[in-house]
Amino acid sequence: MELPGLAFAVCLFLCFCAPVDGYPNGKVKQACASMIPCHGAAPQLPPEHTITLNVTEFKPGDSIEVNLSGPDYEGFFIQARDAEHLDGPAVGSFMLADQRLSQLLTCSRTKNSAVSHTSKTKKKQMKVYWIAPADAPNHVQFLATVVKKYKTFWVKIPGPIVSQRNALSPATEAIPTSQTISHLLKPFNASGCGSTKFCIRNPSNCDAESASCFFLSFKREGSSVLIEMSGPSEGYIAFALSHDQWMGGDDAYLCVNEGHHLRVNTAYLKGRSPPVLDSEIALEDVSWRLADGVLQCSFRRSIHLLAYKGRFNLHGIYYIFLADGEVSGDGLIYKHRRQPLVTNGMYNVTGLPQDIGGSRSPLLIKVHGVLMFVAWITTVSIGVIVARFFKPVWSHSFLLGKEMWFQVHRVLTLTTVMLTSVSFMLPFIYRGGWSEQAGYHPYLGCTLMVLTTIQPLVAGFRPSRHAPRRWLFNWFHWSTGTIARILAVVTMFLGMDLPALDLLDPWDAYTVIGFVAWHVGIDVLLEVHSYCLIRKVELVEDDRVQILQSLTSAEAEGRLFKQLVLTIYICGNIGFLAAFLAAINQI
């Protein structure tokens, strides 16, 4: 994996030189093989556009009408390929029906073997003609990549299959393979983990036979290693060996669900692009099992594979990634929807057997979440309760020359500012800049940071208690703080579902909603208590006369009750923090 920085910037620049829609004029020959736009986003599912043909059979030299239609789109890229080898080169050639909106490209040294757009003009339908070559395969399938807008696109949308007359159905023809495939009869188990084999489990110490457990094991047997991999997924599960904790330059192994059977592939990860699958499989004794939504694959590979480029020596030490995701109908591997598990250190899988876990969330992001939770669920909430309800109770108690309630409030709010400031920087340090894939969370976070900074600055210039403009300061201080607290809860709620900190359901909803209900409940309880104290009366001899007690006297009577409620509130907040830390520890 490449380190972020100059190398990453160079790769990113090269990547953007080859998108399907990166050039509005459609000159996208660099995308001939993968048909994937490098737009910094994952392809969409399912496709909205369709490919239709005017025939189902052909013979060499025939002209077939191909139509691509659907909702408005800007860019497109169409090819015909051997239906039994969709990763192979484009076959045949095209003729244009509208030279204003479409153009011919040369792919795989075959002239006019692909068609693309000429401009970003909106299109609903595009018609071209495909000419069957003399050496056409028995079965041909048409594929299309469609770009609706820069980050909204579909890759390799499968079209109909046309066959040469009298050719056997693709399903009845034998497809050669270099692998010997067998079926597993039962789930994997964790026996031997840490003693005879190296294991990784997520969640840590989960039962390998459980439908919710991701399991990966390596068992050395002579000059080879038996590898077992399983986990719940509708698309694929995969692991990769890496020299660092960043994607790129990795040795990857995939177990892919193809409907009623599984396919095992080796691949090379290049940056954040889809895996480059190997045409030759350097694996032996391949077995699989598909049951109850759990994919299981086992295979054997030699410790040294000098003849295969991209395969790492298993005597080395590596970070290990474990990921899962979706697969398109034609086998295209989509980006994992959640953060992959990454081991905390580098390991030699053929060395001392161990039984370890890993984390699907980077340490800096975990610390970011914990600091924000402490700041906005604990310190600031207690500080607000103290300032709102404990002025009369602690008005005659002093700490360092100031009223106690004020000192407690100031210390807690300044602690909130400090924790928020430190936490705010951590995602930028981890990402190396701004994240375009975090939705509204970073924007709300920046707004919260501004409000957090304003509060102590304004408080430093507050007028005296009896100044004529004191009411203006009070309203501004209260409204800014209230908006910041509401914004903090919303921002944390959104952040808990981001891939880098995807808490297990229903922790995110229960934690945030539970805290809001808890805080509002305590606030209402203290408000009702204060109201009852103010309205408390002292009856005199004439029971028709009611004398309103002074606020100070009434509040003093409720001192014990308020201190009890504050203690309960602090304990409750600590409980929410403990629950959040437990949830963080599970990812």
Side-chain angles (χ1 to χ4, degrees), residues 10 18 78 141 159 191 203 225-227 279 327 345 355 384 399 402 408 440 442 459 481 506 543 549 555 574-575:
V10 172
I78 302 175
Q141 185 169 20
S191 61
V225 176
L226 176 65
I227 300 173
S279 57
V327 179
D355 188 5
V384 169
L399 181 65
K402 296 286 186 179
V408 172
Y440 294 108
D543 58 6
Q549 291 185 328
E555 287 288 356
I574 294 174

Side-chain angles (χ1 to χ4, degrees), residues 244-455:
D244 54 41
Q245 293 182 306
W246 296 89
M247 286 189 65
D250 311 318
D251 181 7
Y253 301 80
L254 299 93
C255 179
V256 184
N257 186 353
E258 294 190 325
H260 300 292
H261 70 281
L262 303 183
R263 168 173 53 91
V264 177
N265 270 108
T266 55
Y268 180 77
L269 300 184
K270 187 177 181 181
R272 295 181 179 270
S273 301
V276 180
L277 302 181
D278 294 326
S279 57
E280 293 184 80
I281 310 299
L283 306 176
E284 301 173 343
D285 300 338
V286 176
S287 302
W288 61 268
R289 182 174 183 264
L290 176 59
D292 301 323
V294 176
L295 312 185
Q296 293 178 251
C297 291
S298 73
F299 51 88
R300 186 185 307 277
R301 64 146 283 187
S302 297
I303 295 176
H304 301 279
L305 285 174
L306 301 179
Y308 293 89
K309 183 180 180 181
R311 304 280 74 79
F312 291 178
N313 178 356
L314 294 186
H315 275 320
I317 59 172
Y318 309 101
Y319 289 100
I320 304 170
F321 281 57
L322 187 58
D324 63 288
E326 296 181 350
V327 179
S328 69
D330 61 343
L332 179 67
I333 306 297
Y334 288 113
K335 179 183 177 182
H336 43 80
R337 289 191 174 274
R338 62 173 177 164
Q339 194 84 359
L341 177 143
V342 185
T343 56
N344 296 322
M346 303 178 76
Y347 295 92
N348 178 1
V349 297
T350 61
L352 181 67
Q354 297 186 56
D355 188 5
I356 64 172
S359 176
R360 290 186 180 272
S361 179
L363 179 60
L364 287 178
I365 301 300
K366 284 185 175 182
V367 175
H368 166 75
V370 170
L371 292 181
M372 283 296 189
F373 198 94
V374 172
W376 293 97
I377 300 298
T378 306
T379 58
V380 78
S381 300
I382 298 172
V384 169
I385 290 289
V386 167
R388 185 172 180 82
F389 298 105
F390 281 78
K391 287 182 184 180
V393 176
W394 290 344
S395 59
H396 300 295
S397 300
F398 292 86
L399 181 65
L400 300 177
K402 296 286 186 179
E403 294 174 332
M404 182 178 291
W405 74 265
F406 176 76
Q407 293 288 48
V408 172
H409 173 72
R410 179 162 63 179
V411 169
L412 290 174
T413 51
L414 288 178
T415 301
T416 300
V417 173
M418 180 185 67
L419 293 175
T420 303
S421 301
V422 173
S423 178
F424 178 78
M425 295 185 293
L426 298 182
F428 292 98
I429 295 174
Y430 170 71
R431 294 290 183 185
W434 185 266
S435 175
E436 296 290 347
Q437 301 178 355
Y440 294 108
H441 180 77
Y443 297 98
L444 295 179
C446 289
T447 305
L448 178 62
M449 189 68 243
V450 171
L451 294 176
T452 304
T453 305
I454 288 175
Q455 278 291 75

